[in-house]
Amino acid sequence: MPHSVTLIHTIAAALGLALALGFLATRLRLPALVGYLLAGVVIGPFTPGFVADAAMASQLAEIGVMLLMFGVGLHFSFGDLLAVRKIAVPGAVVQMMVATALGMGLATWWGWSLGGALVFGLALSVASTVVLLRALEALGILDSYTGRIAVGWLVVEDLAMVLVLVLLPPLAGWLGDGAGTGLDAAELGRTLGWTLLQVGGFVALMLLVGRRLFPWVLWQVARTGSRELFTLCVVAAAVGIAFGSAALFGVSFALGAFFAGMVMRESEFSHRAAHESLPLRDAFAVLFFVSVGMLFNPAVLWERPLQVLAVVAIIMVGKTLAAAGLVLAFRYPLNTALTVSASLAQIGEFSFILVALGSSLGLLPPEGASLVLAGALISMALNPLLFHAIAPLQDWLRARSAWARRLEQRDDPLAELPMSTDSRYLARQVVLVGYGRVGRRVASALAAQDIPFVVAEQNRELVESLRAEGIAAVFGDAVEPAVLIQAHIARAAMLVIATPDSLNVRQIISTAMTLNPAIETVVRSHSDDEARRLVQECEGTVVFLAEDALAELMSRHVLERSRARHARQTGPAPLHGPV
């Protein structure tokens, strides 16, 4: 076959077979991801028939990782990462330590060297942000607070893996079988210092310069009115920044693309950028999963079945239990613990990079790479099923486990309004669900008019800061009746739902109207179709506001409705004091 058409053959075979097997998987009620992985196995070097170019497929997969991580950055700002830092940073560090220790213990029992055991354990400790992103998007919870915790957790893991990938080569001699020259502390210190300096320089450049430069460039291109140029600008920024970060600062492609998306998010065209790049991201994501499948040797399943089961157990049981325990230790709800733990029950792209590096340094034995890939394939295939099992599992635990019911008891001081709360907040107040970009503007408008309100928010740190400012706030998911009860929904005049999570709106409204049939509700709506469906399904007075200029419109609407209600009760005089 001429070399000039190798790329065409690889793309055609990968996409065509992925389409066929992905369709078959969905008809069998399995995730389409399973079909993509099997497509890679079929065209890989370990099965008979056509063999695609593995090196070329790997490079195409790298582009897919860049575009997908760029999409993550478009949805996740640096402020969002700081908002979850108190749980994401310690949680990720401790969970990685637990998973690494489990992997190292298993590999040591098998008789591997210290270096091989360390690489093996680290490869099992880090989850795939790409897989997580697709799962959260499919469930519609990417923009929820729980989704931000999960993504922030994995971003911290990715940052830790950057240091691991840089520090592993100079440590290889010491971690091997003793043939190396030993550990040079001075060299290690210089390597670590230079790595931190490079990463810090890249982050500073992106936050100080990139967040101003790239949105300006996007604006200039958008002014031309050319859709092709706009799409080209978005893709060029994602790939170009990722490549430049690797070439100039030694940062991984994935991390560079992630920060590219973060700074591009500062532009008013960020939603359009995400929409325009979505088809290309989806196509290259398929190539990424196909390339992973090509690395898998199916023989490991029957040659080492017990070892494969042990690896899968660490990934899907050990990591899951460790993450769930950590989230519950931080006093987050059971649903958040289950969602975050399910997010981590898989491994992905950084694991493959680490396996390749460990093999090239002679640390990881050949069977180690096969076991890691087997664990990755199985965990990726089963991970979407874990997300779908969260709700039934939570219901089952509530019904059968007194311990699970105790976890959801409102013994958290932030889940209850303090006794010192001003009494004006406890009658005819506005209950504001969500204190993000929209919720903040609504709260500011209410405070400016001296209209009392109580915030219900899932961000624990945010509730702490609100209380420090003297604002009445309750920590928890408003889907739970106990949260709305603590916000005194039964005596409230209005419910304002400003959270971007639209999945649980119906349940929140239903609970609120059960406790207070006369309450008026204002809901954030993302589309006219969604608004019409909710109007038909929800009883009572429900007003929906669309996404465009949402914060300003919602603030104005809440104030107007509050004034109108007050006028009906006391006359047309201006509204002052409690609602």
Side-chain angles (χ1 to χ4, degrees):
M1 179 175 56
H3 179 73
S4 58
V5 297
T6 302
L7 176 62
I8 299 175
H9 280 243
T10 301
I11 294 178
L15 295 181
L17 197 56
L19 172 62
L21 295 180
F23 176 77
L24 180 61
T26 56
R27 293 301 298 267
L28 296 175
R29 300 187 181 276
L30 294 173
L33 176 61
V34 175
Y36 305 155
L37 296 173
L38 291 177
V41 175
V42 171
I43 65 174
F46 302 105
T47 53
F50 173 78
V51 177
D53 189 319
M56 192 163 293
S58 177
Q59 293 189 42
L60 292 172
E62 283 286 0
I63 299 177
V65 172
M66 292 180 197
L67 295 177
L68 283 166
M69 291 300 294
F70 177 74
V72 175
L74 283 172
H75 288 92
F76 193 84
S77 69
F78 188 69
D80 293 331
L81 179 58
L82 292 178
V84 298
R85 68 188 184 280
K86 291 186 178 180
I87 182 174
V89 175
V93 172
V94 174
Q95 177 260 309
M96 289 186 69
M97 292 175 62
V98 171
T100 302
L102 290 174
M104 290 186 66
L106 191 62
T108 302
W109 184 43
W110 292 338
W112 295 7
S113 67
L114 175 62
L118 179 61
V119 172
F120 182 74
L122 287 170
L124 301 184
S125 70
V126 57
S128 168
T129 308
V130 174
V131 175
L132 171 66
L133 175 64
R134 295 178 69 86
L136 295 181
E137 285 182 337
L139 294 174
I141 60 174
L142 179 60
D143 292 325
S144 67
Y145 184 64
T146 299
R148 291 197 295 270
I149 290 178
V151 176
W153 192 302
L154 264 66
V155 168
V156 174
E157 289 187 352
D158 291 347
L159 291 173
M161 289 303 295
V162 171
L163 291 178
V164 171
L165 295 175
V166 173
L167 292 176
L168 194 58
L171 290 173
W174 178 69
L175 292 172
D177 55 5
T181 58
L183 176 65
D184 189 335
E187 181 182 355
L188 177 61
R190 287 193 298 269
T191 300
L192 179 60
W194 177 241
T195 301
L196 294 176
L197 183 63
Q198 286 181 304
V199 174
F202 169 71
V203 173
L205 181 65
M206 294 299 292
L207 295 180
L208 297 178
V209 179
R211 66 188 307 177
R212 293 177 174 84
L213 175 62
F214 294 114
W216 178 83
V217 172
L218 202 62
W219 163 251
Q220 297 300 321
V221 174
R223 290 178 60 186
T224 64
S226 172
R227 180 179 177 180
E228 292 81 4
L229 280 178
F230 185 86
T231 304
L232 179 61
C233 178
V234 172
V235 176
V239 178
I241 294 174
F243 176 78
S245 64
L248 299 178
F249 295 94
V251 178
S252 68
F253 290 142
L255 194 62
F258 171 77
F259 273 96
M262 282 182 58
V263 299
M264 200 69 76
R265 189 177 188 270
E266 303 295 327
S267 170
E268 60 183 296
F269 298 102
S270 60
H271 291 290
R272 181 182 171 187
H275 177 73
E276 296 289 350
S277 61
L278 183 59
L280 201 59
R281 280 189 285 148
D282 286 343
F284 276 97
V286 172
L287 293 176
F288 165 73
F289 291 116
V290 171
S291 71
V292 172
M294 293 176 62
L295 300 175
F296 178 58
N297 184 357
V300 73
L301 296 176
W302 54 83
E303 291 178 355
R304 303 174 182 269
L306 295 180
Q307 292 181 336
V308 171
L309 288 177
V311 170
V312 174
I314 291 177
I315 297 172
M316 305 196 69
V317 179
K319 288 173 60 177
T320 298
L321 294 178
L326 288 166
V327 175
L328 292 175
F330 280 90
R331 308 186 76 171
Y332 279 85
L334 179 61
N335 178 265
T336 300
L338 293 176
T339 303
V340 172
S341 59
S343 303
L344 302 173
Q346 39 83 15
I347 58 176
E349 57 276 1
F350 268 109
S351 302
F352 308 141
I353 296 172
L354 184 60
V355 164
L357 180 60
S359 300
S360 65
L361 294 173
L363 297 177
L364 191 67
E367 62 270 21
S370 297
L371 290 171
V372 170
L373 292 173
L377 286 169
I378 296 173
S379 63
M380 281 184 181
L382 297 179
N383 188 249
L385 302 179
L386 291 182
F387 279 99
H388 291 295
I390 289 176
L393 176 61
Q394 189 172 355
D395 294 338
W396 184 84
L397 288 174
R398 286 172 176 169
R400 298 177 177 269
S401 173
W403 174 74
R405 290 193 294 271
R406 285 196 299 269
L407 290 176
E408 297 187 350
Q409 291 179 352
R410 313 311 298 174
D411 58 352
D412 188 342
L414 293 182
E416 301 178 358
L417 285 181
M419 297 299 295
S420 59
T421 301
D422 192 333
S423 60
R424 72 176 186 153
Y425 284 94
L426 307 183
R428 310 305 297 166
Q429 84 281 7
V430 174
V431 175
L432 176 59
V433 177
Y435 200 76
R437 176 179 57 87
V438 175
R440 283 186 174 87
R441 295 188 62 177
V442 174
S444 297
L446 293 172
Q449 297 293 324
D450 198 26
I451 299 175
F453 62 93
V454 178
V455 176
E457 171 60 49
Q458 296 186 66
N459 187 333
R460 184 182 179 85
E461 290 77 21
L462 186 54
V463 172
E464 289 179 342
S465 64
L466 287 174
R467 290 195 177 183
E469 298 172 8
I471 298 176
V474 176
F475 163 67
D477 189 348
V479 172
E480 301 177 17
V483 175
L484 293 178
I485 291 173
Q486 283 299 322
H488 292 264
I489 193 70
R491 304 172 63 185
M494 180 180 291
L495 170 67
V496 179
I497 304 178
T499 175
D501 182 8
S502 61
L503 290 180
N504 298 315
V505 167
R506 295 171 182 82
Q507 188 172 346
I508 295 174
I509 295 175
S510 176
T511 302
M513 289 184 172
T514 299
L515 298 172
N516 185 351
I519 195 169
E520 183 177 356
T521 306
V522 179
V523 181
R524 174 179 184 173
S525 175
H526 296 271
S527 67
D528 293 338
D529 292 338
E530 179 185 38
R532 283 192 293 270
R533 286 195 301 270
L534 290 173
V535 167
Q536 294 172 357
E537 297 176 12
C538 299
E539 300 178 355
T541 304
V542 184
V543 180
F544 294 89
L545 298 178
E547 185 72 21
D548 297 337
L550 181 59
E552 181 179 353
L553 287 173
M554 183 175 275
S555 302
R556 187 186 308 161
H557 180 81
V558 170
L559 293 177
E560 290 175 354
R561 302 295 290 188
S562 299
R563 293 192 182 100
R565 185 179 60 256
H566 183 83
R568 290 195 300 269
Q569 297 171 353
T570 62
L575 176 63
H576 295 287
V579 177

